Amino acid sequence: MINIPKGTKDILPSQVYAWQYIERVARETAEKFGFSEIRTPVFEHTELFSRGVGDTTDIVSKEMYTFLDKGGRSITLRPEGTAGVARAFVENGLQGGVLPFKAYYLFSAYRYERPQAGRLREFHQFGAELYGASSPAADAEVICLAEKFFENLGLKKNELHINSIGCPECRKKYHEALREYFRPHLAKMCPDCNARFEKNPMRMLDCKVEECKKITSGAPRMLDFLCDDCRAHFESVKELLTGAGISFTVDPSIVRGLDYYSRTVFEFSSKAAGAQGAVLGGGRYDGLLAQMDAKPTPAVGFAVGIERLLMVLEAEGIKIPEPKKIKCYLAGMDPASRKKAFLLAEELRGEGISCEVDLMERSLKAQFKYADKLGAEFVAVIGESELEEGAAEVKHMSDSSSERVKFEKMAQYLLER
Ligand code: HAM
């Protein structure tokens, strides 16, 4: 027997209702904010991510599923949604359309990570991206959307952490300050940090190696290097969030693991679920489109991991409403009655009633047992005498009461209950 690849999961029929519920809440919430769904390919040209996400990031340098296709092109399974949505926005001429452009997605992503609780190689994201607006209100709106989504799911223990990582101008000064700080410590830091020192010292703040983390804790903070425009932008975002009643913590340690961000960055994590990391991450990424050789367009967005979200929901004890059970099971006692049950079920389904019949040729007792497992509300029994009478003995499973119901009245009977 060939097993499932490491870091992937089947979503079984008994679990899928929870996914469908989350997806429904995501769609309804995003659409209330004027976002429409977008679907992009599961694979893209590798260069889209190496340029977009950044080749000093862990995602690009270590975690991508990259392969040559039969035409010799380097292809990568998307490690995240933003770069592909940005490409679609440009490639389909939407930059010249109605702005802001607001899109959301619900799809899978792939990262070659060490699997553990809340960290998979195939995972799923609900994300939202907004293009064309540079105002602080756009940052605040996507944060409000994220907050509303959690609220609609009934989550209460999420903490929002925000930070500003400035623009390329103010970041230049910050990079210099970081290099000055890290230079005397380099010998003690990991090879990755040494490689990042010249190319992108901010990435060093994201290092997971214990020794590096200790050194990093004393590093200068980006907030102290913001230019006047970036500072004013950040102040306005905070003001709007406060006005909207959203509580947050300014956290200078949020730098995000992807290179495309500028100005506002944010993460939501849950007090209820252990240490599997943020459940949602996002921020502004005004430089990404220019980096992809497209007309510069301001952008902001977020993505939330559905698998992590499910863990948080469980940790907070939130019960996801189970789907409606089957309305009526039609049990046949002999070949002729089984045939009638089969045909009657077809008729009832035509009236919009969910029905099942026996496909296993089981005894009546075993059919009742199965109907009970299904959670059927009614079991309609058809035997020789019922066939003669043109009626079924309909048992209400919740109180075991039963009634004779004419075949032609069955649909009406079930629809009224
Ligand atoms: P990210 O922080 O890399 O950001 O991922 C967002 C969320 O996806 C995480 O908070 C987590 O819940 C989930 N996630 C990430 N990696 C894994 C994994 N290996 N297993 C399970 N869940 C995972 C982004 O992807 C950005 N594209 C977000 C964004 C959108 N920024 C702007 N727009």
Side-chain angles (χ1 to χ4, degrees), residues 122-365:
E122 181 188 61
F123 59 99
H124 298 78
Q125 290 186 334
F126 160 47
E129 314 288 356
L130 188 157
Y131 292 93
S134 57
S135 68
D139 311 40
E141 182 171 292
V142 297
I143 295 175
C144 285
L145 162 54
E147 174 81 20
K148 199 43 142 197
F149 171 58
F150 290 138
E151 187 188 315
N152 288 346
L153 287 171
L155 289 168
K156 293 197 174 68
K157 295 191 180 135
N158 270 310
E159 284 184 347
L160 167 62
H161 288 228
I162 64 169
N163 189 23
S164 174
I165 56 167
C167 62
E169 273 317 299
C170 46
R171 221 175 301 154
K172 260 188 221 151
K173 274 188 257 158
Y174 181 54
H175 280 179
E176 271 325 302
L178 280 179
R179 287 198 188 95
E180 220 165 279
Y181 172 81
F182 282 127
R183 197 168 282 116
H185 300 289
L186 273 180
K188 282 180 279 169
M189 299 187 81
C190 74
D192 279 350
C193 280
N194 274 272
R196 289 160 177 161
F197 179 77
E198 276 309 328
K199 268 183 128 173
N200 189 354
M202 237 168 81
R203 277 275 78 77
M204 297 168 82
L205 301 174
D206 220 18
C207 187
K208 308 283 181 300
V209 176
E210 265 324 304
E211 187 60 26
C212 301
K213 268 168 63 178
K214 264 188 241 157
I215 298 169
T216 299
S217 62
R221 301 158 10 132
M222 181 66 224
L223 284 177
D224 299 325
F225 291 81
L226 292 182
C227 63
D228 289 348
D229 284 354
C230 286
R231 185 175 307 284
H233 185 96
F234 193 46
E235 288 308 315
S236 300
V237 173
K238 288 191 289 182
E239 210 177 287
L240 286 166
L241 292 178
T242 307
I246 294 175
S247 46
F248 58 84
T249 308
V250 174
D251 181 350
S253 74
I254 304 281
V255 289
R256 308 282 300 127
L258 306 92
D259 276 352
Y260 46 59
Y261 293 109
S262 55
R263 293 194 163 171
T264 319
V265 286
F266 55 91
E267 288 182 357
F268 281 83
S269 42
S270 169
K271 271 191 290 187
Q276 86 267 2
V279 63
L280 178 150
R284 179 164 278 288
Y285 52 98
D286 293 347
L288 176 64
L289 271 74
Q291 228 163 291
M292 289 165 42
D293 294 335
K295 189 175 113 196
T297 304
V300 58
F302 69 78
V304 47
I306 307 292
E307 287 83 356
R308 282 193 200 170
L309 184 61
L310 281 164
M311 292 172 71
V312 172
L313 285 164
E314 195 183 326
E316 283 205 29
I318 292 170
K319 285 266 164 293
I320 292 178
E322 290 207 28
K324 281 216 176 85
K325 298 276 160 53
I326 200 96
K327 184 86 180 181
C328 186
Y329 181 89
L330 293 115
M333 291 166 75
D334 53 77
S337 318
R338 284 173 195 278
K339 190 173 164 197
K340 178 65 196 171
F342 182 91
L343 298 173
L344 188 55
E346 267 300 279
E347 246 178 79
L348 294 174
R349 289 182 196 123
E351 299 291 330
I353 299 161
S354 56
C355 298
E356 276 205 47
V357 292
D358 177 40
L359 303 175
M360 307 287 286
E361 306 194 339
R362 287 185 171 121
S363 68
L364 184 62
K365 194 173 158 206

Side-chain angles (χ1 to χ4, degrees), residues 9-209:
K9 272 189 180 164
D10 298 312
I11 305 165
L12 300 173
S14 58
Q15 303 158 337
V16 89
Y17 75 93
W19 287 74
Q20 289 171 340
Y21 175 74
I22 290 173
E23 286 162 8
R24 196 160 57 241
V25 174
R27 288 197 161 89
E28 281 170 11
T29 313
E31 281 161 19
K32 283 238 163 67
F33 282 77
F35 286 67
S36 307
E37 186 172 351
I38 187 165
R39 300 185 188 191
T40 63
V42 86
F43 59 84
E44 299 270 1
H45 291 293
T46 302
E47 207 189 342
L48 179 74
F49 303 114
S50 51
R51 277 221 251 165
V53 176
D55 48 20
T56 57
T57 61
D58 277 357
I59 295 180
V60 171
S61 62
K62 301 179 190 161
E63 296 167 1
M64 293 208 302
Y65 276 91
T66 297
F67 57 95
L68 288 181
D69 71 6
K70 290 192 197 308
R73 301 168 200 93
S74 182
I75 292 293
T76 294
L77 301 186
R78 63 178 167 227
E80 56 101 54
T82 309
V85 173
R87 181 205 47 69
F89 172 64
V90 175
E91 195 166 346
N92 293 286
L94 302 172
Q95 272 183 306
V98 179
L99 294 178
F101 171 77
K102 298 175 174 187
Y104 74 88
Y105 48 88
L106 280 155
F107 55 44
S108 59
Y110 302 84
R111 295 184 194 174
Y112 193 79
E113 294 202 73
R114 196 137 49 94
Q116 50 182 275
R119 182 169 300 153
L120 292 146
R121 291 183 174 170
E122 181 188 61
F123 59 99
H124 298 78
Q125 290 186 334
F126 160 47
E129 314 288 356
L130 188 157
Y131 292 93
S134 57
S135 68
D139 311 40
E141 182 171 292
V142 297
I143 295 175
C144 285
L145 162 54
E147 174 81 20
K148 199 43 142 197
F149 171 58
F150 290 138
E151 187 188 315
N152 288 346
L153 287 171
L155 289 168
K156 293 197 174 68
K157 295 191 180 135
N158 270 310
E159 284 184 347
L160 167 62
H161 288 228
I162 64 169
N163 189 23
S164 174
I165 56 167
C167 62
E169 273 317 299
C170 46
R171 221 175 301 154
K172 260 188 221 151
K173 274 188 257 158
Y174 181 54
H175 280 179
E176 271 325 302
L178 280 179
R179 287 198 188 95
E180 220 165 279
Y181 172 81
F182 282 127
R183 197 168 282 116
H185 300 289
L186 273 180
K188 282 180 279 169
M189 299 187 81
C190 74
D192 279 350
C193 280
N194 274 272
R196 289 160 177 161
F197 179 77
E198 276 309 328
K199 268 183 128 173
N200 189 354
M202 237 168 81
R203 277 275 78 77
M204 297 168 82
L205 301 174
D206 220 18
C207 187
K208 308 283 181 300
V209 176

